[in-house]
Amino acid sequence: MTSPPIPASFAELFTPKLVTILRERYGLDELRADALAGLTVAIVALPLSMAIAIASGVTPDKGLYTAIVGGFIVSALGGSRFQIGGPAGAFIVLVAATVERHGVDGLALATLISGMILLAVGWLRLGTYIKYIPYPVTIGFTAGIAVIIFASQVRDLFGLTLAGKEPGPLLPKLVELGGAISTISPAALGISLLSIAVIVVFRRYRPHWPGLLIAVAVGAVLAWLLDLPIETIGSRFGGIPQMLPTPGLPPISLEKVQAVLPDSLAFALLGAIESLLSAVVADSMTGRRHRSNCELVAQGAANIGSALFGGICVTGTIARTATNVRAGSRGPVSGMLHAVFLLGFMLVAAPLASYIPLSALAAVLAVVAWNMAEKHEFMTLLRASRGDAVILLATFLLTIFRDLTEGIVVGFALGTLLFMHRMAHAVEVESVRPMADDDVSDAERMPGRRPYDAAAATDRDVVVYRITGAFFFGAAASVANVLDRIAEHPKAYVIDFSAVPVLDSTAAATIDGFVRKAHRHGALVVIAGARAAVRRVLLMHGVRPARVRFKARLEEAIALAHRATGSQPTGAPSAAP
């Protein structure tokens, strides 16, 4: 008999992968590989971090602070060998809305609180439950975010001049942008198209080259050489600092905490989903396994650190993590070095960032949005089934037109209802009888059990019913209806639970009601094959040996019923000795 697996200790669950790597053989070869991978990721992260920050309604330096501080902490404390942390496109909508409602100080406080929430979620070992987010929900909100990100970049892509502030909601935004179509800047549009072309060409023909950075650099050089009349980081934001700010807490008050708490919860929920999805992607690429709860603790610490240094939300980033793996990373050191390289870029090249056109950064995010949309998966789910299509479209449309958190919650609720509906219809109750040996093929034989079919009762005095599938509240009414319609009034009932993997309190109450009804008719009830967990629930709800008999095997239960009733069926299987 195989012994059950020994559960991992608290220390094992929360030991950072950095410690694991250092315990192994880690030498100069591994350090060189990690340094090269970290440099590659830093080159990709540099323009992305600034572009995401600008799209989120904050200054570009805050994106760099997030990637440097948050990225270092995620790699140093995380439960994934290859996770790269930093600002993510998925947060653009939430961060922009938070800045709009509560200002930059409110954003910092919301980020700080979300970090504390993630710490608690990780320490309470709730990370394993994130995997229950249905796939159509993940695809739906990712595609919705992609649409919103692209819409947020239309102004800078075309160099539009708006009469007032750009609206946040999608429909008013599109109306405002459409009204400003006559203000298109040919120079900004040209830089945008050139940047997109550079990214696409390098991705197609030189995939290992830093296409994003090259596109931004080409746009900046052309804008400077030709003195193009377009907006740059310098003209809109005045450039970026050459050093990290002094850490400090944002203004905190009870009223402010209550005001930003919903945003903090949204940050924590999305951060947990994104970071664990990214870790799963890294696992699938490398064959490794991450520690989900340790990863959430690291994400929480990273968000707290980012908030203290004036950054925005931190999460695991799928594209940068995949880049890290492809670049030959050996472990978390590459992610830590990526943060160090970013800090070096900021210290040395900050003045040059002033020349970067906003249209070039908008082009970077437009390509990111296109890749995020997961168009093939979206269309596949639309064709897969009506239920999956409803979940997908509800999440997608609510994300676009209402709120990201609302889209996830509604999508999850619909997914749960659909799953329960399918599981309820998978539960079957059937009357069974022994089959003659000549009627059974070798493929149908099971060791230790004689096969049964769903034809008729064993005899007039003892009837046997088998329940198959997860017996829970969604299926309880159907099972109760079948049991209530039993026309026979035998001396004993045998209920086979061997094919019931789980049973909840509603199902146990249903069986208890059937047992009471059988007792009123003077009939014995024998339950066969109930697993330990199933039997425990039955016992807790009053289905006890004083009123029923339990047997481990169906053959034993049938033999017991016949002995108790004094009947003798033909062809009945004999009881085990």
Side-chain angles (χ1 to χ4, degrees), residues 426-574:
V427 177
E428 296 180 353
V429 183
E430 54 186 5
S431 173
V432 300
R433 66 173 173 84
M435 294 176 64
D437 284 337
D438 295 340
D439 297 331
V440 183
S441 66
D442 290 339
E444 291 174 318
R445 297 182 187 277
M446 296 178 62
R449 173 180 295 175
R450 189 168 179 177
Y452 285 77
D453 66 8
T458 302
D459 64 16
R460 205 169 57 181
D461 292 327
V462 176
V463 296
V464 182
Y465 284 87
R466 174 184 295 139
I467 301 177
T468 305
F471 192 6
F472 69 112
F473 63 88
S478 300
V479 174
N481 288 337
V482 173
L483 296 178
D484 287 342
R485 290 199 303 268
I486 295 175
E488 304 96 336
H489 291 291
K491 296 179 181 179
Y493 296 94
V494 175
I495 305 179
D496 182 8
F497 268 77
S498 58
V500 177
V502 292
L503 176 137
D504 70 356
S505 58
T506 305
T510 300
I511 296 300
D512 181 54
F514 175 76
V515 170
R516 292 175 184 273
K517 178 180 176 181
H519 269 256
R520 286 197 298 269
H521 291 91
L524 171 69
V525 177
V526 185
I527 293 178
R531 306 182 186 196
V534 171
R535 183 170 177 174
R536 190 179 308 117
V537 177
L538 289 170
L539 293 172
M540 289 175 61
H541 287 79
V543 185
R544 299 178 180 276
R547 300 167 55 203
V548 299
R549 303 288 294 275
F550 286 93
K551 285 295 179 180
R553 301 172 66 231
L554 179 59
E555 291 85 347
E556 297 173 355
I558 294 175
L560 171 64
H562 283 294
R563 286 198 303 271
T565 59
S567 60
Q568 181 59 47
T570 57
S574 58

Side-chain angles (χ1 to χ4, degrees), residues 11 49 100 109 128 154 174 186 189 192-194 230 244 338 345 364 403 432 438 460 472 509 540 559 568 572:
S49 299
E100 178 74 20
L109 181 58
T128 51
V154 170
L174 294 178
L189 180 58
S192 298
L193 294 176
L194 176 63
I230 58 177
L244 287 175
H338 129 270
F345 292 157
V364 169
D403 177 74
V432 300
D438 295 340
R460 205 169 57 181
F472 69 112
M540 289 175 61
Q568 181 59 47

Side-chain angles (χ1 to χ4, degrees), residues 2-17:
T2 304
S3 58
I6 300 174
S9 66
F10 185 89
E12 290 174 310
L13 288 174
F14 293 96
T15 298
K17 286 291 185 177

